[in-house]
Amino acid sequence: MSNAAPITTTLVLVVLAAVSLGVVVVLRSRKRRVIATPTQRATYQVLHVASLAAPPLRAGLTEATATKAVRPLHQLLGGPALGLVAPDRVLAWEGPGEHHAPAVLEALNGPTGRVIALHADDLPCDLLECPVRGAVVVPLSTGEEMVGALVAVVDSDPVPGLVRAAVETAEWVSAQLAFAELDASRERLAEAQLRALRAQISPHFIYNALSAISALVRTDPERARELIEEFAEFVRYSVRAHGEFTTLAEELRSIDRYLLIERARFGERLQVRLQVAPEVLPVVVPYLCLQPLVENAVRHGLAGKAGTGTVSIVATDAGAECLISVEDDGVGMDPDQLRRPAADESPEAKNAHVGLTNVDDRLRSVFGPACGLVVETAPGAGTKVSMRVPKFQPGVRVVSGWAS
C-alpha cells in the first residue's frame, strides 16, 4: 500500500485534543463558510480523517474495527506504516514492516508497559528493501486494562515530535475504546434490567391467571380457550429474544392482554380507561416500560381496595414528545415510603419499588434525565406514574424478531 502523506504534527495534536474535548471547529468567512488558508485546510483534513477512524473504534478493538481504523490513523501520523495490535497478535497493519511484529509484541509485553521507542538495533532485518528503521509503540487502554497498542513505524530514529504525536493519537484512540466499553457496559446493564423485569412477572399472576382459566374450562370453554391464547401471547411478548425497544402500540397490545386476563379474575371490580392519540402509536419506547407500571397499579393499587377500581392509561401527543401516564384510584401510599422502601416490606412491595426504579433508570439512560418517571401518590389518593418520551432519539430503533 502507498505511504500516507503526514499531516503537521503540531496540528494533529491540537485538533485531536479539540476532538477529544468535544470542541467543534467552524471555519467561516464574513460572507460564507470557506476553507481558505493552508492551516484551515489542514485542520479540516485532520477532523475529517479523525471522523473516519472514530466510528469503528467506538465498536471496540477487534480485527474488523482495526482494519477500518488503521488507514485514517496512518494518514494522521504518516510514516512508512502504522499498526494496531493486541497483546498477542496483529489486528491490522497499513504499509510495510509487518514482519517486525514479533519484536513489537515482545517489547509491548515487556516489564515497562509504557511508551516504547524502538531503534534499528531493536528491529533487525535481512530484507534490503525494508524501510523500517524504528517504531514508536504506545499502549492502548480502556482504563487500567491494556487492550493493545498503536505502532507508528518510521524510516529513521524516532524523534520527540513523532513520539508526542503518536502518544496523543493513541490517547485519542484509547478514549474511543473507553467509549466503546462504556456503551458495552450500558448494553449489559440494559440486558440485566430486562432479565430482572422478565423475572419480576409475578408468579402470583401466573398462578391466578391459570386458576381463572381453569375455572372457565367447564362453564365457558370458548372463553377459556381465548384466555389461554391471550396468556400465551402475553408470555411470548414478555420473554421475546430480540431488541431493547418496541413501539408504543406493541407495548399497549401486551398490556391489553394482561388486563384481559386480570379482568377474568376481578370481573367488574376492575375497570380500564384507555386514551391514546393515534399519532403516538408508532413512538419507540423501551421494551417492558409500561407493563410493570400497569401491573403495580392492579396489584398494589386496586387489589387492596374494596369495591370497584379503575386503571387509566393515557398517551398524548405533545409536539416533539409523547406523554404517557398510568393512574389508579386505589389505596395509594406514603411518598416517603416510595423514596425509602422499608426493610420489613413484603416481597411484592419490594418488587414494585424495584420495577419502578428499573423503568426509571432505563428511561433516563436512553432519553436523558428529564425523561425519568414522575410518581404522584398519597395514602387513599391513588397513584399516578408519568413519563415523557421523545418521538425521535438517535440510536433508538425497533429490532424486529421474536423468541422462537
Side-chain angles (χ1 to χ4, degrees):
M1 299 182 183
S2 59
N3 293 345
I7 300 172
T8 305
T9 299
T10 302
L11 188 59
V12 171
L13 302 181
V14 172
V15 176
L16 281 178
V19 173
S20 298
L21 294 173
V23 177
V24 178
V25 180
V26 179
L27 309 173
R28 62 173 66 182
S29 67
R30 292 184 179 181
K31 295 183 178 180
R32 58 187 177 89
R33 294 183 181 184
V34 295
I35 302 175
T37 68
T39 300
Q40 290 174 339
R41 285 194 294 270
T43 301
Y44 169 80
Q45 184 182 359
V46 172
L47 289 171
H48 175 66
V49 172
S51 71
L52 295 178
L57 293 173
R58 288 292 295 267
L61 189 62
T62 65
E63 289 186 8
T65 60
T67 299
K68 294 179 181 178
V70 69
R71 177 166 293 182
L73 292 176
H74 187 198
Q75 287 182 298
L76 282 177
L77 289 176
L82 185 134
L84 292 173
V85 302
D88 59 345
R89 69 190 189 281
V90 174
L91 298 175
W93 196 281
E94 167 93 352
E98 189 173 350
H99 57 283
H100 290 291
V104 170
L105 295 176
E106 181 180 357
L108 177 64
N109 291 283
T112 62
R114 301 176 181 175
V115 179
I116 304 165
L118 299 177
H119 302 275
D121 293 341
D122 303 313
L123 301 170
C125 184
D126 295 331
L127 300 177
L128 297 178
E129 67 276 11
C130 180
V132 177
R133 295 295 180 269
V136 180
V137 183
V138 188
L140 302 173
S141 65
T142 56
E144 296 181 357
E145 180 184 4
M146 186 186 74
V147 295
L150 179 146
V151 184
V153 176
V154 292
D155 53 8
S156 62
D157 276 347
V159 296
L162 173 66
V163 173
R164 186 182 173 196
V167 169
E168 292 289 342
T169 303
E171 289 182 355
W172 179 82
V173 172
S174 292
Q176 307 310 306
L177 298 177
F179 288 136
E181 183 64 24
L182 178 60
D183 291 340
S185 298
R186 287 174 176 170
E187 290 180 3
R188 290 193 293 269
L189 175 60
E191 291 174 359
Q193 289 173 328
L194 284 178
R195 287 195 297 270
L197 285 175
R198 291 188 180 109
Q200 191 183 319
I201 296 174
S202 172
H204 295 288
F205 164 70
I206 297 174
Y207 173 80
N208 292 330
L210 293 176
S211 296
I213 294 170
S214 176
L216 294 171
V217 168
R218 290 187 178 181
T219 59
D220 192 348
E222 185 62 27
R223 174 67 171 159
R225 185 184 66 81
E226 177 187 350
L227 288 177
I228 289 174
E229 291 177 351
E230 296 295 343
F231 180 73
E233 287 299 319
F234 170 79
V235 172
R236 184 173 183 242
Y237 177 81
S238 299
V239 299
R240 76 180 204 176
H242 301 284
E244 184 184 346
F245 303 99
T246 186
T247 62
L248 179 60
E250 286 292 334
E251 191 80 354
L252 291 174
R253 189 173 293 115
S254 175
I255 290 170
D256 182 61
R257 294 186 180 107
Y258 169 80
L259 291 172
L260 184 67
I261 297 168
E262 289 288 53
R263 292 188 70 179
R265 290 179 52 216
F266 289 101
E268 295 301 320
R269 284 188 57 206
L270 175 58
Q271 300 295 315
V272 178
R273 185 175 72 91
L274 186 65
Q275 181 181 340
V276 179
E279 55 267 30
V280 301
L281 289 174
V283 170
V284 178
V285 297
Y287 166 61
L288 288 183
C289 71
L290 291 183
Q291 194 275 336
L293 310 185
V294 176
E295 185 173 351
N296 284 344
V298 174
R299 289 167 54 197
H300 307 289
L302 304 180
K305 176 183 178 182
T308 301
T310 302
V311 174
S312 300
I313 304 170
V314 179
T316 58
D317 184 2
E321 296 179 324
C322 170
L323 304 183
I324 306 171
S325 66
V326 177
E327 184 175 6
D328 67 74
D329 58 358
V331 297
M333 67 182 302
D334 185 348
D336 289 336
Q337 185 181 0
L338 184 64
R339 298 187 190 98
R340 295 181 298 275
D344 58 351
E345 278 188 336
S346 67
E348 287 194 0
K350 289 180 180 179
N351 282 342
H353 289 130
V354 171
L356 289 175
T357 302
N358 197 328
V359 173
D360 181 66
D361 289 344
R362 293 172 65 212
L363 287 170
R364 293 174 184 273
S365 174
V366 174
F367 300 121
C371 295
L373 293 181
V374 177
V375 182
E376 303 169 67
T377 187
T383 302
K384 180 179 180 180
V385 184
S386 306
M387 69 178 73
R388 53 200 303 170
V389 177
K391 289 183 178 177
F392 173 77
Q393 181 80 0
V396 174
R397 63 187 181 90
V398 176
V399 178
S400 60
W402 297 87
S404 56

